Amino acid sequence: MTKRSKRVAIAIIGATAFTLAGCREEQVDAAAFPDLQSCTNEATRGGMFTAQDCEESFSQAETLHVDSAPRYDSLEVCEEQHGADACGSEAGATQGGSGSIFMPLLAGYLIGNMLGGRTGMSAGQPLYKTSDGRFTNAARSNTYSSNKGAAKLSTSQFARPASTAGKTPMTRATASSRGGFGKSGAGRTGFGG
């Protein structure tokens, strides 16, 4: 091999490594909490998020819940997907919703530090129980073993899910055709304490 071809080969390898590194999704510090109080309690003990981060992220999660939670045409179908006593009416969760449409109850929320460091911008996502006792976000992009703990998550876990408000609720047939809510998650993540 000549000197020129060695340099070209090294340049190609370097460019490939740089390109692959650029494709890797950014990871952020994240935590899951079953409720706002758990997050603010952790914040007072010097956790990775401030009480203000907790409040802002919980508010975001509640807003996304009202707009993007899965909706079902019956309580039975909702409970098949999320477990017994894990669902309520849309009217109970939203202003002006229907009493004949059912949604899972908020079972916690994810909070992520989107800019890094303690002064970064936080983002929130609602969590819902799945029928197998795990938890998933509204977009069903991941399934989590718990609704409490900390982990590194990709920024895509905080992407805004599609709105379900005003859309036709899922029936038993449509929920089955999708493999059930939370079953199409891209991966499974565990949270450590």
Side-chain angles (χ1 to χ4, degrees), residues 49-68:
F49 298 103
T50 66
Q52 182 178 350
D53 291 334
C54 294
E55 290 168 14
E56 289 172 1
S57 296
F58 187 72
S59 178
Q60 289 172 8
E62 286 184 313
T63 299
L64 287 174
H65 170 66
V66 168
D67 185 56
S68 303

Side-chain angles (χ1 to χ4, degrees), residues 19-30:
T19 302
L20 290 174
C23 293
R24 198 174 305 146
E25 195 166 353
E26 181 184 356
Q27 299 283 304
V28 296
D29 290 326

Side-chain angles (χ1 to χ4, degrees), residues 42-93:
E42 181 72 23
T44 61
R45 291 191 296 267
M48 73 173 93
F49 298 103
T50 66
Q52 182 178 350
D53 291 334
C54 294
E55 290 168 14
E56 289 172 1
S57 296
F58 187 72
S59 178
Q60 289 172 8
E62 286 184 313
T63 299
L64 287 174
H65 170 66
V66 168
D67 185 56
S68 303
R71 286 167 163 81
Y72 302 94
D73 70 347
S74 73
L75 179 61
E76 293 76 26
V77 174
C78 185
E79 287 186 341
E80 286 170 8
Q81 301 301 312
H82 301 279
D85 301 322
C87 296
S89 72
E90 181 184 49

Side-chain angles (χ1 to χ4, degrees), residues 126-137:
L127 287 177
Y128 306 107
K129 279 183 71 175
T130 60
S131 60
D132 64 0
R134 295 178 180 271
F135 298 86
T136 189
N137 58 7

